[in-house]
Structure formats: structure tokens, C-alpha cells
């Protein structure tokens, strides 16, 4: 545990930079998305949120590695990237959480964002050529980090702005499935029922998409992130996220070597 804590502490500056980037660089773009899609779309499809089931990460890992399993990872990814819209909640849970068991997984991997793209994130209105740039960069980022929720949002936004409704709907279906998969892992109200995430940035996306604004990040022993939020009518102070698998895989691949 001490070694795990040291790793997390050493990575806090990076988590803080992610937090500041999302809040400062993306604030106006989040507003633009709300205006474009309508405020109801920002609330995680609450009417369709599945019953909570705390995941057994060992079982998920075994399932996605078993070629005889219906959740064998190469098959799941093929369905996800295809035009398949019949994936179940369990499919999406194994797809998202199971990605942390893949050898190319790195929870702190980042894709360099060109300055010209950063400037687009700060705008609330975009030309067709600017939407092309958002779409192009989103595709590049997603080819490296397939479940980057921010980039999926940008891709949907750009496609809808250009009138490419069919593909936008497909990506929105994928995004909905990933979000539901995360929300089905808990309720975020306490460490025991924390939401499971495989990327730190997902914590802020989950908070933002529910209509709240994150204000502070805190690490809670032994393996939880706590995101404080601004005052709100529901009087919710913050949410817990389980990052046990995230830390375990990072330690195994990059620290213990």
C-alpha cells in the first residue's frame, strides 16, 4: 500500500493539470455542447441508468481474456467499432473495465493537443472547417485512447454540426453505453459505492455530464479519488471514484520495473 500511495502522490501534479485543463480550457466548449444538444442530454440519460452492480474486476479480467467467453476482448472491441447497436450493458461494462487488463493500457497516457485545437475548445461557435479539425483530431486521439469521453463528445459535436447525423448517432450510442457502464458500478456517494473508472479524466467527465462543476481533487486512502463540486440545490458535496485497478496496472507496468 505504501508503494501504491507513493506512486499516486507522484502523479498528483499530472492529475491536477488534467483538472485545470478541463476546467479552464474546456469550460466554454462544454457550454457550447449544452447549447447544441440541449441540457437534458447532459444528465447521463438518467431514466435509462441501470441498476448498480459493484464489479468483480478479477472475473471481468478473466472473461475478457478467455477466447471462449462472450466477453472476449477482441470480439467486444470489434462489435464496438463496428455498426453493432445491440451491445448490452454487460458488454459495455466488460469493454470499458476490461480495457484496463489489456497490455496497451496506460491510465496516464496523453495525446498532445495542438495549440490550434486548444483554441477551438475555447470557442462556442465553429465554422465547417473548424468542425473538420475537431473531428480529425478526435479520431486521432480515439485511435490511441479509445474511451476518451471528451474526444467522443467533440466528435459527436463536430459530426452533428456538419449534419452527419448517422455517424453522430452511432458515436452517441457508444458514449451512452460507456457512461452507463461507469454509472452501473456504484453511486459515487461513498468509498464503498464509488464509481469505477480506468482514466482520471473520466471522473471529471462524469461529474460535468451530470450538471455539476468540479472544484477540487483529493486522494483518499487506499485507492479512491474524491471530486468536490460547487454548491448545488441537491446539496451534494462530491463524488468518490475507485481507482484500484488503475493504480495496480500502472504500478505493474511502469513502476515496478
Amino acid at each position: 500500500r505504501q508503494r501504491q500511495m507513493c506512486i499516486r502522490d507522484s502523479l498528483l501534479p499530472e492529475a491536477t493539470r488534467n483538472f485545470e485543463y478541463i476546467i479552464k480550457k474546456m469550460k466554454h466548449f462544454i457550454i457550447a455542447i449544452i447549447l447544441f444538444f440541449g441540457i437534458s442530454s447532459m444528465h447521463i440519460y438518467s431514466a435509462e441508468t441501470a441498476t448498480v452492480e459493484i464489479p468483480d474486476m478479477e472475473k471481468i479480467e478473466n472473461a475478457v481474456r478467455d477466447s471462449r467467453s462472450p466477453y472476449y476482448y477482441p470480439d467486444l472491441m470489434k462489435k464496438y467499432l463496428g455498426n453493432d447497436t445491440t451491445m448490452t450493458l454487460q458488454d459495455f461494462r466488460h469493454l470499458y473495465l476490461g480495457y484496463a487488463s489489456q497490455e496497451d493500457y496506460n491510465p496516464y497516457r496523453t495525446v498532445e493537443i495542438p495549440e490550434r485545437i486548444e483554441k477551438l475548445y475555447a470557442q462556442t461557435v465553429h465554422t465547417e472547417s473548424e468542425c473538420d479539425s475537431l473531428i480529425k483530431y478526435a479520431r486521432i486521439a480515439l485511435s490511441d485512447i479509445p474511451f476518451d469521453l471528451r474526444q467522443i463528445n467533440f466528435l459527436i459535436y463536430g459530426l452533428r454540426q456538419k449534419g452527419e447525423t448517422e455517424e453522430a448517432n452511432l458515436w452517441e450510442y457508444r458514449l451512452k453505453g460507456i457512461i452507463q457502464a461507469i454509472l452501473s458500478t456504484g453511486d459515487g456517494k461513498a468509498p464503498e459505492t464509488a464509481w469505477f473508472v480506468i482514466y482520471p479524466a473520466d471522473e471529471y467527465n462524469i461529474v460535468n455530464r451530470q450538471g455539476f462543476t468540479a472544484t477540487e481533487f483529493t486522494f483518499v486512502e487506499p485507492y479512491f479519488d474524491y471530486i468536490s463540486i460547487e454548491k448545488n440545490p441537491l446539496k451534494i458535496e462530491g463524488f468518490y471514484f475507485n481507482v484500484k485497478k488503475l493504480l495496480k496496472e500502472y504500478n505493474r507496468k511502469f513502476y515496478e520495473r
Side-chain angles (χ1 to χ4, degrees):
R1 178 180 298 183
Q2 183 177 2
R3 174 176 292 183
Q4 187 179 68
M5 284 294 296
C6 289
I7 280 296
R8 187 57 171 169
D9 289 345
S10 71
L11 292 168
L12 285 180
E14 182 169 356
T16 301
R17 287 196 297 272
N18 286 340
F19 170 74
E20 291 175 348
Y21 172 76
I22 292 170
I23 296 299
K24 295 180 181 179
K25 298 291 186 180
M26 295 176 56
K27 183 175 181 181
H28 297 299
F29 197 87
I30 290 172
I31 292 172
I33 292 176
I34 292 174
L35 293 175
F36 186 76
F37 290 112
I39 189 67
S40 61
S41 69
M42 300 299 290
H43 289 271
I44 311 296
Y45 312 89
S46 56
E48 302 175 68
T49 300
T51 302
V52 169
E53 178 186 351
I54 297 175
D56 184 326
M57 294 301 290
E58 184 176 351
K59 285 186 178 181
I60 289 176
E61 180 174 345
N62 290 335
V64 299
R65 290 181 173 177
D66 184 356
S67 61
R68 299 166 297 178
S69 165
Y71 304 118
Y72 183 48
Y73 208 80
D75 293 342
L76 273 183
M77 184 59 79
K78 184 177 180 180
K79 289 177 66 174
Y80 175 76
L81 295 177
N83 295 325
D84 193 322
T85 56
T86 64
M87 292 180 69
T88 66
L89 175 62
Q90 286 301 323
D91 286 337
F92 275 107
R93 280 168 62 97
H94 283 78
L95 179 76
Y96 176 78
L97 297 172
Y99 186 63
S101 299
Q102 306 306 300
E103 279 307 309
D104 65 340
Y105 167 70
N106 177 354
Y108 294 98
R109 176 184 293 155
T110 59
V111 177
E112 185 178 353
I113 301 174
E115 184 177 353
R116 62 185 181 83
I117 299 296
E118 282 194 4
K119 290 180 179 179
L120 294 183
Y121 293 162
Q123 298 176 198
T124 57
V125 178
H126 301 86
T127 66
E128 183 173 350
S129 63
E130 288 173 338
C131 285
D132 285 336
S133 295
L134 288 172
I135 292 170
K136 180 180 179 181
Y137 180 76
R139 293 193 196 281
I140 292 173
L142 290 170
S143 68
D144 196 36
I145 308 176
F147 305 116
D148 187 324
L149 303 183
R150 293 179 299 128
Q151 292 301 333
I152 296 177
N153 264 315
F154 297 154
L155 180 55
I156 294 170
Y157 171 84
L159 290 170
R160 289 211 182 281
Q161 287 286 62
K162 293 196 64 182
E164 298 180 22
T165 306
E166 186 174 348
E167 186 178 1
N169 288 343
L170 181 58
W171 276 105
E172 195 158 4
Y173 164 80
R174 292 166 177 162
L175 178 62
K176 176 181 176 180
I178 297 169
I179 295 295
Q180 286 183 322
I182 295 173
L183 292 182
S184 74
T185 63
D187 59 20
K189 295 179 180 179
E192 296 77 16
T193 57
W195 285 313
F196 282 61
V197 293
I198 63 173
Y199 291 110
D202 292 349
E203 299 167 2
Y204 305 110
N205 281 283
I206 290 294
V207 169
N208 287 336
R209 286 184 62 86
Q210 293 190 92
F212 301 110
T213 300
T215 59
E216 188 177 356
F217 161 88
T218 307
F219 181 67
V220 180
E221 294 189 50
Y223 43 72
F224 301 98
D225 286 347
Y226 181 75
I227 305 298
S228 302
I229 61 175
E230 287 185 350
K231 291 183 179 179
N232 56 83
L234 298 179
K235 297 183 179 180
I236 297 173
E237 296 182 353
F239 297 102
Y240 289 90
F241 294 86
N242 187 312
V243 293
K244 182 178 181 179
K245 181 66 171 178
L246 182 160
L247 293 174
K248 177 183 176 181
E249 289 303 313
Y250 188 87
N251 286 344
R252 180 177 71 84
K253 293 179 181 178
F254 304 103
Y255 183 73
E256 294 177 352
R257 293 178 182 177

